[in-house]
Amino acid sequence: MNRPTPHSGATRGPADHELRDQIVAAATEHFSRYGYEKTTVSDLAKAVGFSKAYIYKFFESKQAIGETICVNCMLQIEAEVRAAVDGGDRPPEKLRRMFKAIVDATLRLLFQDRKLYEIAASAASERWPATIAYEARMQALLQDIIQEGRQTGDFERKTPLDETTAAIYLVIRPYLNPLLLQHSFDYTEQAPARLSGLILRSLSP
Amino acid sequence: MNRPTPHSGATRGPADHELRDQIVAAATEHFSRYGYEKTTVSDLAKAVGFSKAYIYKFFESKQAIGETICVNCMLQIEAEVRAAVDGGDRPPEKLRRMFKAIVDATLRLLFQDRKLYEIAASAASERWPATIAYEARMQALLQDIIQEGRQTGDFERKTPLDETTAAIYLVIRPYLNPLLLQHSFDYTEQAPARLSGLILRSLSP
């Protein structure tokens, strides 16, 4: 099957990664409107105008498409969180911004604009590798902020760094994991500020 | 319908509250084995050997029975938590014990022994009055411990008491609310100690 592309006049068609991206973009649009769980690859193929065989050339299963969408979504959340952290001056402010940005970006991308909650929920409950990697990166970012705060003298240094990081991560986790976040909508307004306050008190030298 | 009771020879039958308790005990047994959502009052009546009309004499709906079971379950969790807290010497130890007992009792009663998770989940997601009252009592217990710690000098007194209580309650909530707890089984071993440590650091004078 040929689809018109900006490169269709060239001797070589669009690169594989471009075709792959087209499928992912169309699938993201489709899943976010009609849901992930109930849609089959056949439904998807029909809806987005690619043949089923063509989709299978790039993705071995629906989950493989879901994983790519999920990765893109997590990368976007992560980019927003990192931008928010970078906008903070000192480590305490960075930590506050991190918590707030996690809640805001996750709510918006999974529950409001894109409605990708269903894919993210599968990813979280089935522990897809993308989820595990995402959580590890967020924990690493958190640890960087804590370590910086120890160097600047804003944070205490008695508690082992990995213990502090793990405990604070547990406080943030209910707002980062979509399975938990869906039961905390009543708290998303107040929780980031309140919990950041508590975390910062626990970090005071 | 007459059921044999210890009082059947007396001029008056068993008191209403005893008959009510019998229905609740039988329903608890039934729901914890066969599930709450799918069972109708007719199923329940058949299984426990009371007539449907007889059950409706005491409870206006299945939810009313569910609420009573839920209240009993929460009272039992609460009794275990209070006993654990009372066994602690100073406020920091009481706080540690409170967190640990909440996790242990909730896991055991809702997910292991009694499998009453399904009722508790309905109660939590539909915000039954019993759930709201239970959460308020746990928050009050938490506040009592914090206040005691402020008096003994174990805890700081700068942060407004209600702010501290609300923030710590948010840290405990994912392990107290069954909807969140079901997604945190991987953390129930380590979370109480780690989070108690963080909370106590945040409370240090």
Side-chain angles (χ1 to χ4, degrees), chain B residues 88-96 144-158 164 168 196-205:
Chain B
D89 194 24
R90 294 184 72 87
E93 182 59 17
K94 288 184 182 186
L95 207 146
R96 283 189 186 279
D144 287 348
I145 298 173
I146 298 168
Q147 205 152 24
E148 192 192 328
R150 289 179 173 217
Q151 278 154 9
T152 58
D154 284 300
F155 300 155
E156 60 99 359
R157 295 174 213 188
K158 282 167 298 181
T164 303
I168 297 176
S196 294
L198 183 147
I199 291 168
L200 291 174
R201 287 193 292 281
S202 81
L203 288 170
S204 77

Side-chain angles (χ1 to χ4, degrees), chain A residues 159 173 183-184 187 198 201, chain B residues 159 170 173 183-184 187 198:
Chain A
T159 318
R173 182 178 169 263
H183 299 298
S184 301
Y187 298 87
L198 183 146
R201 287 193 292 280
Chain B
T159 319
L170 280 179
R173 182 177 168 264
H183 299 300
S184 301
Y187 298 88
L198 183 147

Side-chain angles (χ1 to χ4, degrees), chain A residues 7-198:
Chain A
H7 304 276
S8 53
T11 41
R12 290 181 57 202
D16 273 5
H17 69 86
E18 288 177 88
L19 296 170
R20 217 172 167 276
D21 289 351
Q22 284 178 21
I23 295 172
V24 170
T28 305
E29 176 64 26
H30 188 76
F31 288 145
S32 75
R33 189 171 301 174
Y34 302 100
Y36 172 73
E37 288 297 342
K38 284 183 193 162
T39 305
T40 64
V41 173
S42 302
D43 297 336
L44 186 64
K46 231 172 282 172
V48 303
F50 295 104
S51 76
K52 200 172 149 184
Y54 189 80
I55 291 177
Y56 276 119
K57 211 183 116 185
F58 294 95
F59 296 96
E60 65 177 9
S61 63
K62 185 178 78 168
Q63 185 178 320
I65 306 175
E67 274 175 19
T68 305
I69 294 174
C70 209
V71 166
N72 290 345
C73 187
M74 285 165 175
L75 287 175
Q76 195 174 336
I77 294 173
E78 203 182 324
E80 290 185 29
V81 171
R82 284 185 191 276
V85 167
D86 289 344
D89 193 24
R90 295 185 72 86
E93 182 59 17
K94 288 183 182 185
L95 208 146
R96 283 188 185 280
R97 283 168 163 264
M98 179 181 180
F99 206 146
K100 182 86 170 62
I102 284 173
V103 176
D104 290 350
T106 309
L107 279 179
R108 208 185 65 250
L109 286 168
L110 299 189
F111 297 93
Q112 291 154 15
D113 292 357
R114 309 286 289 278
K115 296 192 177 60
L116 294 175
Y117 168 71
E118 226 190 318
I119 302 180
S122 298
S125 67
E126 294 160 20
R127 307 289 301 146
W128 294 0
T131 305
I132 295 170
Y134 168 72
E135 290 175 5
R137 289 195 308 275
M138 295 303 254
Q139 245 177 311
L141 174 61
L142 177 63
Q143 182 154 321
D144 288 347
I145 298 174
I146 299 168
Q147 205 151 25
E148 191 191 329
R150 289 178 173 218
Q151 278 154 10
T152 57
D154 285 301
F155 300 156
E156 60 99 359
R157 295 173 214 189
K158 284 166 298 179
T159 318
L161 182 63
D162 55 351
E163 193 184 315
T164 303
T165 307
I168 297 176
Y169 184 75
L170 280 179
V171 177
I172 297 178
R173 182 178 169 263
Y175 303 89
L176 182 128
N177 181 308
L179 298 170
L180 288 110
L181 184 58
Q182 67 173 325
H183 299 298
S184 301
F185 291 156
D186 288 351
Y187 298 87
T188 50
E189 198 69 45
Q190 296 195 309
R194 275 192 176 152
L195 289 172
S196 294
L198 183 146

